[in-house]
Amino acid sequence: MFESPREIASVLHVDMDSFFVSVELLERPELVGLPVAAAHDTARSVVSSASYEARRFGVRSAMPVARAKQLCPQLVLVEPVYAKYRSASKAVMAVFQEFTPLVEPLSIDEAFLDVAGTVRLFGQPVEIARAIRERVRERTGLPASVGLAGTKFVAKLASQRAKPDGILEIPPHRTLEFLHPLPIGAMWGVGQATERALHARAIRTVGELAREPIHSLERIVGGASARRLHELANGRDARRIVTTRSEKSIGHEETFAHDVSDAGALQRELLRLATRTGERLRGAGAEARTISIKVRWGNFETITRSRTLPDATDATQRIYHTARELFDGLDRGGRAVRLIGVRAEQLLPAGSDIAALWSEDDGWRAVDQAVDEVRERFGASGVTSASLLTGRGSVVDPRSLEAPG
């Protein structure tokens, strides 16, 4: 007799272990057991993935390579090849689809699965989890960890505690028993600043957070965050598996080969990023209500600024001028810039914002349309802004542009 889906841990979070490194080790078996990281061997690069042997030294994803070498002088670096990782990810996701159509990819190496509807075919969820891991290993040679629970939040926490290469099931009736002893930093949405604020109020565990009155939490983290954290801390997470996703934002960022102080160079980079962002917006048939910038100083301090526009836009010049104004409003204090980014957010289908149909962007849209047509016909190099020709390509290390996995 099968239990009700509400009574079983039918939500799985499958997370590939040290994904990029694991893929590389398939071709470099002599490196198995050594501290290995997938990263470009340059001073400005960051670690994309680290083996568990490297993690014992404190090496982590997104850590600067220079720092990783300090922590682990014997660290072996392998050049990341992202085409291989995309191919391996496709094979892994195909295995998930063999067990349930309800698969929600979160990134290249992890996904949520809902197996409540397939227990009659494949057995109890923990049996399905074992079968998935075995089939992934058989098809790809790669290890995976699986967390099972009644909710997404708890399943993801369980998979982290199942690593490496394990399974952890949290039956729904034992959710609070699992959650409440955990440190507050384990909560989704609790960053360092929030963690410090909660610690200042003697809230150090998930259980203490669950018992804190909502009105008290609102004074610490604000209304929306207070309600969300309180629900999660009490084991309540109503989110369902989402099998299709629409882009919530579109943007680009660049890491400079050397920290940049020159205002002209930074303005040109903002224009280039705004141009690419505008092209992608128009290509996706979308417009943005909000434009944001991201700036990382030479000391790795990172800040973001955003502005919501009176009407949605896909116009390159509107994106650029907004980004430029946000950047000019920063208190730089003479600091050099390591990374800069432009992002379009709060996306709407093009033409759905009635106010935007009679906006100041009309003239710019005509120019963008003409430029897009030229690019489509002659390629990306067919036309560009004159201001981008000065110093073009002189400050960016293209190998640093790969996104960490």
Side-chain angles (χ1 to χ4, degrees), residues 250-253 263 266-278 281 288-295 297 303-309 313 315-332 337 340-345 364:
I250 288 176
H252 293 275
E253 60 186 43
L266 293 169
Q267 290 166 11
R268 287 193 298 274
E269 192 60 32
L270 280 173
L271 176 57
R272 192 174 72 84
L273 295 171
T275 299
R276 294 176 65 190
T277 300
L281 276 174
R289 287 295 314 279
T290 298
I291 304 300
S292 70
I293 63 168
K294 174 181 176 181
V295 177
W297 308 116
I303 62 171
T304 59
R305 296 290 185 271
S306 64
R307 177 178 299 167
T308 297
L309 305 174
T313 189
T316 292
Q317 288 299 316
R318 175 69 67 194
I319 297 167
Y320 168 62
H321 285 299
T322 304
R324 170 82 179 271
E325 289 170 3
L326 289 169
F327 182 76
D328 289 345
L330 298 178
D331 181 12
R332 287 180 56 192
V337 174
I340 195 166
V342 174
R343 184 160 293 275
E345 302 171 337
W364 288 338

Side-chain angles (χ1 to χ4, degrees), residues 148-170:
L148 303 88
T151 66
K152 288 170 131 181
F153 171 56
V154 179
K156 186 170 175 68
L157 287 177
S159 72
Q160 299 309 302
R161 280 151 184 78
K163 287 181 172 291
D165 197 19
I167 296 177
L168 178 59
E169 179 183 16
I170 309 298

Side-chain angles (χ1 to χ4, degrees), residues 181-390:
L182 296 177
I184 196 67
M187 291 286 293
W188 233 341
V190 174
Q192 293 182 351
T194 301
E195 186 176 16
R196 287 194 296 269
L198 291 168
H199 282 179
R201 296 294 298 270
I203 301 172
R204 297 184 174 276
T205 68
V206 176
E208 290 168 345
L209 176 64
R211 293 186 289 271
E212 188 75 11
I214 284 284
H215 63 83
S216 175
L217 282 178
E218 288 176 343
R219 290 196 294 269
I220 304 172
V221 299
S225 293
R227 290 187 292 274
R228 178 175 54 81
L229 291 176
H230 194 264
E231 288 289 295
L232 293 177
N234 282 283
R236 296 187 289 268
D237 181 5
R239 293 172 303 155
R240 299 291 181 244
I241 301 299
V242 179
T243 57
T244 59
R245 288 182 178 273
S246 58
E247 285 192 281
K248 296 182 178 178
S249 66
I250 288 176
H252 293 275
E253 60 186 43
E254 300 287 10
T255 300
F256 297 127
H258 305 284
D259 294 347
V260 176
S261 299
D262 180 69
L266 293 169
Q267 290 166 11
R268 287 193 298 274
E269 192 60 32
L270 280 173
L271 176 57
R272 192 174 72 84
L273 295 171
T275 299
R276 294 176 65 190
T277 300
E279 290 170 356
R280 283 187 60 197
L281 276 174
R282 296 187 294 275
E287 295 173 340
R289 287 295 314 279
T290 298
I291 304 300
S292 70
I293 63 168
K294 174 181 176 181
V295 177
R296 180 170 296 149
W297 308 116
N299 64 357
F300 284 92
E301 178 189 353
T302 304
I303 62 171
T304 59
R305 296 290 185 271
S306 64
R307 177 178 299 167
T308 297
L309 305 174
D311 44 64
T313 189
D314 60 4
T316 292
Q317 288 299 316
R318 175 69 67 194
I319 297 167
Y320 168 62
H321 285 299
T322 304
R324 170 82 179 271
E325 289 170 3
L326 289 169
F327 182 76
D328 289 345
L330 298 178
D331 181 12
R332 287 180 56 192
R335 290 178 290 182
V337 174
R338 177 185 178 89
L339 173 150
I340 195 166
V342 174
R343 184 160 293 275
E345 302 171 337
Q346 289 188 284
L347 304 189
L348 302 171
S352 62
D353 187 349
I354 300 301
L357 298 180
W358 295 275
S359 74
E360 298 176 1
D361 293 350
D362 288 347
W364 288 338
R365 286 194 177 100
V367 173
D368 287 334
Q369 183 178 357
V371 170
D372 291 343
E373 289 174 355
V374 172
R375 283 202 174 98
E376 185 175 349
R377 184 174 179 182
F378 298 107
S381 60
V383 62
T384 190
S385 170
S387 61
L388 293 180
L389 296 176
T390 305

